[in-house]
Amino acid sequence: MSYESPLSYALGLEGIALLRTFAGERDRDFGEARIDEIRRLLDDPALRRGIAVEVVDTVAGYEIWADTYDGPNPAFDFDEPVVRDIAGALPPGTALDAACGTGRVAEVLADCGHHVVGVDSSPHMLDHARKRLPEADFRAGDLQELPVDDASVDIVTCSLALSHIPDLVPAYSEFARVLRPGGHVVITDIHPEQVARTHVPTVRRPDGTPARLRTYPHRTGDHLRAALAAGLSVRGCEEPSLPAPEPGEPATGPGPWEAWPWSLAALTPAAAHLASEGVPAVIIWHLHRD
């Protein structure tokens, strides 16, 4: 259980902006404006009213989220072209989409000519995947114990899922186990900087109470150490960013909880712009089994 206070989030953004100002990224007037804005925020009693939020595991969370998961998500714009480029350059073979969800990336793999095996722990997500790609082989299973034979696939993809497990080593070991020699792995995950800023999926539980999916901020080095320990070599690593939101007039309120933390950034738009400027949105790995 966590307690989410709009004031805490807004002050956190102000703090990041002030640190970057201290480092010389903005001038004295910008810093003074941030301090004045902090005083305004502290004087607003409405921002002190927070919400108690339950943390749920991925099975429970994605069962709720499955019906709307394929809605607009800017992270999709990063991983799908990368998967298409790498998978499309390989001869047709067997592709494993680990934590396949609704089959979004599995469909890209199939378009590239591969026979697709998809694995996910959410029955509801798998239902959507089977409707989307009925010719694929979708299986219930866990990232840390994939129901796939040793050395049986040519490419593994895993998109926006590894931040939900506490330890990367078992998952990377599984990716290496199921790969044939010469196989490739393409991983996209929410960047740890975004996880640290609570850019974490929100869901409403059946009783209407708010919840967020359990998420862990794995650093770049965590991924690298897990990949090397599994015997995988690095072909590429990218950390693309989204444009920072342009500052406007401060919002008059925090907005609905489902829109947090994005609507909370509007409480202090100038600070939010600087706090997010240049911060990566996702991390993308291209790995290889020699």
Side-chain angles (χ1 to χ4, degrees), residues 104-162:
R104 177 181 61 86
V105 174
E107 188 172 39
V108 175
L109 294 167
D111 287 346
C112 292
H114 299 285
H115 169 67
V116 177
V117 177
V119 174
D120 202 274
S121 61
S122 165
H124 201 178
M125 289 289 230
L126 287 171
D127 288 343
H128 284 274
R130 291 182 179 113
K131 291 175 185 175
R132 180 186 219 131
L133 207 63
E135 65 273 21
D137 177 5
F138 290 107
R139 307 173 185 177
D142 188 89
L143 276 175
Q144 300 172 82
E145 195 173 350
L146 294 167
V148 179
D149 290 340
D150 294 357
S152 61
V153 303
D154 302 287
I155 182 171
V156 175
T157 59
C158 184
S159 186
L160 308 178
L162 289 181

Side-chain angles (χ1 to χ4, degrees), residues 1 52-57 60-61 63-65 202-213 257-258:
M1 181 75 71
V53 179
E54 189 73 34
V55 177
V56 296
D57 64 26
E63 283 294 282
I64 298 168
W65 197 14
T202 61
V203 294
R204 288 278 183 183
R205 297 197 301 171
D207 62 1
T209 55
R212 291 190 189 271
L213 274 69
W257 173 78
E258 281 80 0

Side-chain angles (χ1 to χ4, degrees), residues 4-142:
E4 299 185 3
S5 162
L7 180 61
S8 295
Y9 193 86
L11 292 178
L13 291 177
E14 296 282 11
I16 296 170
L18 283 170
L19 283 173
R20 295 183 71 165
T21 301
F22 187 87
E25 296 185 42
R26 292 293 189 275
D27 60 17
R28 177 178 177 175
D29 288 344
F30 183 89
E32 291 295 328
R34 303 284 62 73
I35 293 169
D36 290 341
E37 192 164 56
I38 288 171
R39 293 190 180 100
R40 176 183 64 79
L41 294 168
L42 290 170
D43 287 338
D44 187 346
L47 298 183
R48 296 178 181 272
R49 291 195 290 270
I51 296 176
V53 179
E54 189 73 34
V55 177
V56 296
D57 64 26
T58 53
V59 175
Y62 279 106
E63 283 294 282
I64 298 168
W65 197 14
D67 290 337
T68 58
Y69 180 78
D70 288 327
N73 185 332
F76 296 172
D77 296 334
F78 292 119
D79 64 357
E80 291 180 15
V82 173
V83 170
R84 191 174 297 278
D85 285 348
I86 296 172
L90 300 177
T94 301
L96 167 64
D97 187 16
C100 64
T102 60
R104 177 181 61 86
V105 174
E107 188 172 39
V108 175
L109 294 167
D111 287 346
C112 292
H114 299 285
H115 169 67
V116 177
V117 177
V119 174
D120 202 274
S121 61
S122 165
H124 201 178
M125 289 289 230
L126 287 171
D127 288 343
H128 284 274
R130 291 182 179 113
K131 291 175 185 175
R132 180 186 219 131
L133 207 63
E135 65 273 21
D137 177 5
F138 290 107
R139 307 173 185 177
D142 188 89

